């Protein structure tokens, strides 16, 4: 198993636990391999990621995936396309022994102690890195209609940085 953290910063030598939101304990956050492509974006880019699970209905499969052979879709807003297409990020790798599973559906792992990455690599072709994995990449003027449909669906989803979306 591999765990990652994505950042715009290429020089992180040690990840220190930090508080986010109103958590009671500081943590270092990492993401599993399956969910990693959801982070192949500039940090503040809003995106909606969807994929079916065993409980997904045929109606939802037809609505979201009828014109595609993919098993996952990631959508961004057109206002972010240039930043994504020209951007790059850094993928930090971690020893999974330093982490415990926090949220299986989201692929989040946490550590309450400082963690030194085992490797860092620059990812330059963000869109190509997504589509090379067989994930459909969509661009839309607003994520709101998609968000509203996804929340009513039986799909599994991840919605990231929607506070920055056109709503």
């Amino acid at each position: 198993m591999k765990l990652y953290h994505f950042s715009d910063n290429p020089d992180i030598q040690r990840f220190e636990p930090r508080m986010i939101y109103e958590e009671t304990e500081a943590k270092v956050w990492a993401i599993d391999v399956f969910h990693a492509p959801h982070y192949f974006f500039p940090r503040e880019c809003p995106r909606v990621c969807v994929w079916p699970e065993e409980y997904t209905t045929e109606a939802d499969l037809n609505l979201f995936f009828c014109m595609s052979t993919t098993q996952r879709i990631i959508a961004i807003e057109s206002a972010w396309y240039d930043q994504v297409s020209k951007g790059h990020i850094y993928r930090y790798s971690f020893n999974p022994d330093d982490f415990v599973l926090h949220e299986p559906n989201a692929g989040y792992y946490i550590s309450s102690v400082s963690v030194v990455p085992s490797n860092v690599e620059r990812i330059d072709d963000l869109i190509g890195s997504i589509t090379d994995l067989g994930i459909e990449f969509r661009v839309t003027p607003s994520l709101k209609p998609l968000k509203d449909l996804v929340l009513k669906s039986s799909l599994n989803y991840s919605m990231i940085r929607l506070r920055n979306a056109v709503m």
Side-chain angles (χ1 to χ4, degrees):
M1 180 176 67
K2 294 181 181 180
L3 295 178
Y4 303 110
H5 182 90
F6 294 88
S7 178
D8 297 326
N9 182 346
D11 299 316
I12 304 172
Q13 301 300 312
R14 174 182 298 277
F15 286 80
E16 298 293 341
R18 62 184 178 97
M19 300 281 289
I20 61 169
Y21 308 113
E22 295 184 17
E23 301 254 349
T24 57
E25 181 184 331
K27 300 172 181 77
V28 175
W29 292 84
I31 193 82
D32 66 17
V33 171
F34 178 83
H35 296 88
H38 303 173
Y39 294 87
F40 291 2
F41 295 89
R43 180 174 177 82
E44 296 302 322
C45 178
R47 58 241 188 224
V48 174
C49 314
V50 295
W51 62 98
E53 288 291 336
E54 67 275 356
Y55 52 82
T56 300
T57 66
E58 281 296 317
D60 285 339
L61 287 173
N62 288 332
L63 178 63
F64 289 90
F65 295 91
C66 68
M67 297 187 315
S68 181
T69 59
T70 190
Q71 289 295 301
R72 192 166 13 162
I73 298 165
I74 300 177
I76 66 165
E77 291 180 331
S78 51
W80 284 87
Y81 181 79
D82 280 346
Q83 288 183 55
V84 174
S85 67
K86 296 173 184 171
H88 62 270
I89 57 166
Y90 297 90
R91 177 172 50 197
Y92 290 86
S93 301
F94 297 113
N95 179 346
D97 296 339
D98 296 331
F99 290 84
V100 295
L101 181 60
H102 179 70
E103 174 55 52
N105 186 54
Y108 296 144
Y109 286 74
I110 57 171
S111 175
S112 58
V113 298
S114 298
V115 181
V116 174
S118 58
N119 186 42
V120 61
E121 75 180 284
R122 180 178 163 135
I123 301 174
D124 288 312
D125 182 4
L126 302 176
I127 295 171
S129 295
I130 292 165
T131 59
D132 286 351
L133 294 170
I135 299 169
E136 187 170 312
F137 180 77
R138 293 185 183 178
V139 180
T140 182
S142 171
L143 289 173
K144 185 177 180 352
L146 178 59
K147 172 192 162 215
D148 293 344
L149 277 174
V150 168
L151 289 175
K152 296 175 188 173
S153 79
S154 60
L155 292 172
N156 207 346
Y157 63 87
S158 177
M159 297 184 192
I160 302 166
R161 298 287 193 254
L162 288 190
R163 68 178 177 267
N164 299 329
V166 175
M167 294 290 184

